[in-house]
Amino acid sequence: MEFVSPFTLSPATFVRETDAVGMLKNLKLRHRAYVCAYNSFRFAARLRGDLSEFAPSIAETLESVGDELAALARDSCPTENERRQLIEGLEGALRALGLSDAAQVHIVSQLAPRIMAGEPASASKEAWTRMAV
């Protein structure tokens, strides 16, 4: 197989390869969001089912999933389209968990603004100041 320099490719071929890389990145982001949300919700539900004293409440689980996805958006997703992939991954995880449509809409409507802004709730300036002192 012969090596082909990207500088010798026609513009149409280069665009197709760039689109393929973009599609792969979108798929990766969607998968990361799916795995994060799915595992967090399942783990919390398992702890609550075992009546563990360390089991997080549903609100705490939503807060931590929102923080994790918002941090991922902030660190890895500079564009709005990439952040939307995280929301699609969250939606996929909620479907896989068998939640009702109303519950899915409620959860996504709570977390989507934080994900799109890329601002975890726990990452306030006061928190860093308190940690430093």
Side-chain angles (χ1 to χ4, degrees), residues 40-61 64:
S40 295
F41 285 119
R42 291 261 334 259
F43 182 68
R46 191 171 335 140
L47 286 176
R48 283 190 297 274
D50 292 341
L51 301 176
S52 170
E53 63 184 283
F54 302 108
S57 68
I58 293 171
E60 290 170 332
T61 304
S64 87

Side-chain angles (χ1 to χ4, degrees), residues 83-131:
R83 292 177 183 204
R84 288 194 190 284
Q85 298 304 315
L86 297 178
I87 295 170
E88 287 184 24
L90 171 64
E91 291 171 342
L94 297 174
R95 274 192 305 274
L97 290 167
L99 295 177
S100 69
D101 289 342
Q104 291 177 37
V105 168
H106 178 72
I107 292 169
V108 170
S109 67
Q110 277 187 314
L111 300 182
R114 287 175 45 199
I115 295 169
M116 291 303 289
E119 296 176 359
S122 63
S124 69
K125 292 179 183 176
E126 292 179 18
W128 287 106
T129 305
R130 279 181 279 172
M131 287 173 57

